[in-house]
Amino acid sequence: MSDLREVLGGIYDTAADLLSLDVATFSGNVSMEGAISGENIDLSKIFDSIKQAAGDAELRLVAHTHIDFDKDSVNFVAADLTPGDAALVTAHKEMVTASVEGRLAMLTALRELINL
């Protein structure tokens, strides 16, 4: 029975991850020694290094959006926006829209694949 709970829990976690969305926009500086070599720049690896505190980062959260499967959402925008941050908030809104559209396209393709 516990194996079934683990399987169902794994399915739930995967579905929750696929059906929820988080978009965060930061402003700041990042210093990573050895993270970039030549033309092989992998920004996802750099972001993973920042999350693991493997590099120096002075980041300020400018905007964050979380959208749940049931479309409940939480939005945050920093109170002390600089003139330059206004453009970041606009970009954040565009990223949220693009991400929602991308998720919907992925779910539509998945639905068509399994003929629902």
Side-chain angles (χ1 to χ4, degrees):
M1 185 67 156
S2 80
D3 289 338
L4 179 60
R5 285 186 188 151
E6 288 177 20
V7 168
L8 292 176
I11 292 170
Y12 175 83
D13 291 344
T14 300
D17 186 47
L18 285 172
L19 300 173
S20 65
L21 177 69
D22 282 286
V23 176
T25 301
F26 296 90
S27 176
N29 297 303
V30 176
S31 174
M32 304 290 298
E33 288 188 28
I36 301 173
S37 61
E39 295 180 14
N40 298 324
I41 299 172
D42 187 342
L43 295 177
S44 64
K45 287 184 181 178
I46 293 172
F47 188 67
D48 287 343
S49 295
I50 293 168
K51 289 191 298 187
Q52 297 169 10
D56 294 326
E58 294 178 25
L59 299 176
R60 184 172 76 89
L61 183 63
V62 174
H64 181 266
T65 300
H66 173 82
I67 304 172
D68 280 328
F69 169 66
D70 61 2
K71 300 301 178 240
D72 286 346
S73 64
V74 177
N75 295 295
F76 165 82
V77 176
D80 56 345
L81 294 176
T82 67
D85 289 341
L88 291 175
V89 172
T90 298
H92 178 86
K93 291 175 186 177
E94 291 171 0
M95 285 189 299
V96 169
T97 299
S99 296
V100 167
E101 290 172 355
R103 287 287 169 96
L104 289 173
M106 180 183 66
L107 291 173
T108 299
L110 183 59
R111 186 186 72 208
E112 289 173 2
L113 180 68
I114 58 175
N115 294 319
L116 286 179

